[in-house]
Amino acid sequence: MKIDKIKILEVAVLAGKILLENGADMTRVEDTMLRIGRNAGLENVVAFVTPTGIFISLRGEAYSQMESIQQTTMNLEKVAYVNQLSRKFGEGTITISAFYQLLQQIDEDIKDFNFWLKTLAASLVSASLMYIFGGEFRDFFATFVVGGMGYMLYYFLNKRTEVDFLNNGLVAFVIALLAGLFVKLHLGTDMNMIIIGSVMPLVPGVKITNAFLDGISGHTISSMTSGLQALLTAGSIGVGVAIALKLLL
């Protein structure tokens, strides 16, 4: 049976693109692409992944595919589905053509959660973490509201600009001001705990984790890139809160 090498590479690069655009680390992306190629019978497959591009080719042959990555988001549901399909392909339960069609469906049909659901989740995360970190239950409502308002601002800022760390800094500034306002209106008691809980949805936890995973796996460039992005984001959050506190105190 003749192997359609171009089709296999197209499937591998599409799977890698979906993974990388939706929050997977470089190690997972590269490993998935190589597994797809080898499970399809291509032992000489070579993959190279960067934060802005994916490359896959066959060593010693004139077959290659590449894909640019313009924008990344966070949708781990897509990552889970791609991993599931990759395992099914490795087990031989789906063909390469079916694999490609299912990947296209995942990329096009699985949408992000709606705005209000994500806002509600951000509010609950903010209030819950405030309490877990030692806050008082009487600040639960204030943190719930401030965290939700902060996420709403973050959502709309991301629609206007893609400079993520600046958006985080501005949102953190507004969150700190809102926390101070709630305390002055006697709707909250501990401004510090309200701020801590409310900024938690902004913290780049996945980027920090990916930076460590890539560093351990030897992906120095991607590790440094993810780490720098996380550092800029965390720093901008701290600066935003510090400026607001300077104005409040």
Side-chain angles (χ1 to χ4, degrees):
M1 180 179 178
K2 186 178 179 181
I3 300 176
D4 190 345
K5 297 180 179 180
I6 291 295
K7 189 66 168 181
I8 295 168
L9 296 185
E10 287 177 349
V11 170
V13 81
L14 178 57
K17 176 177 179 288
I18 295 172
L19 290 172
L20 192 56
E21 285 183 339
N22 290 281
D25 57 279
M26 306 292 170
T27 305
R28 180 186 296 273
V29 175
E30 188 175 293
D31 180 68
T32 300
M33 294 171 65
L34 292 175
R35 285 180 183 273
I36 291 172
R38 289 165 184 166
N39 288 331
L42 303 179
E43 295 298 331
N44 59 337
V45 64
V46 180
F48 180 67
V49 181
T50 73
T52 56
I54 296 174
F55 308 87
I56 188 169
S57 63
L58 299 180
R59 185 181 288 108
E61 300 186 46
Y63 295 96
S64 65
Q65 290 287 322
M66 64 175 291
E67 187 70 57
S68 63
I69 305 299
Q70 301 296 331
Q71 187 176 5
T72 59
T73 183
M74 194 60 58
N75 191 334
L76 298 182
E77 186 179 9
K78 288 187 178 183
V79 174
Y81 273 117
V82 172
N83 290 334
Q84 184 179 358
L85 290 178
S86 178
R87 286 192 292 269
K88 287 184 177 180
F89 179 68
E91 295 167 357
T93 57
I94 58 174
T95 64
I96 193 70
S97 298
F99 194 1
Y100 188 70
Q101 292 175 355
L102 291 170
L103 285 174
Q104 288 180 316
Q105 291 178 10
I106 290 172
D107 196 26
E108 297 171 2
D109 297 341
I110 296 180
K111 305 300 182 183
D112 202 359
F113 295 105
N114 67 60
F115 167 71
W116 293 111
L117 183 58
K118 291 196 292 186
T119 302
L120 176 61
S123 297
L124 289 172
V125 167
S126 299
S128 300
L129 288 177
M130 177 278 302
Y131 187 71
I132 290 172
F133 289 154
E136 299 288 340
F137 186 76
R138 55 190 173 185
D139 289 327
F140 190 93
F141 172 75
T143 311
F144 182 91
V145 175
V146 173
M149 294 176 70
Y151 179 80
M152 291 172 67
L153 177 60
Y154 175 78
Y155 180 88
F156 288 115
L157 284 175
N158 273 353
K159 294 290 185 181
R160 301 289 182 179
T161 175
E162 297 178 2
V163 187
D164 192 54
F165 70 93
L166 289 179
N167 294 343
N168 278 276
L170 180 57
V171 172
F173 174 78
V174 173
I175 283 174
L177 290 180
L178 288 173
L181 178 63
F182 269 66
V183 172
K184 288 184 178 180
L185 294 175
H186 303 290
L187 297 173
T189 58
D190 192 336
M191 182 176 65
N192 293 330
M193 294 309 303
I194 295 173
I195 293 173
I196 290 171
S198 299
V199 300
M200 282 297 110
L202 305 177
V203 175
V206 174
K207 288 182 180 179
I208 295 172
T209 302
N210 287 348
F212 276 107
L213 290 174
D214 291 335
I216 293 171
S217 302
H219 292 264
T220 307
I221 295 176
S222 59
S223 176
M224 293 178 63
T225 302
S226 298
L228 181 59
Q229 290 175 343
L231 183 62
L232 285 173
T233 302
S236 66
I237 293 172
V239 170
V241 171
I243 293 174
L245 291 178
K246 183 69 174 179
L247 296 175
L248 290 170
L249 301 177

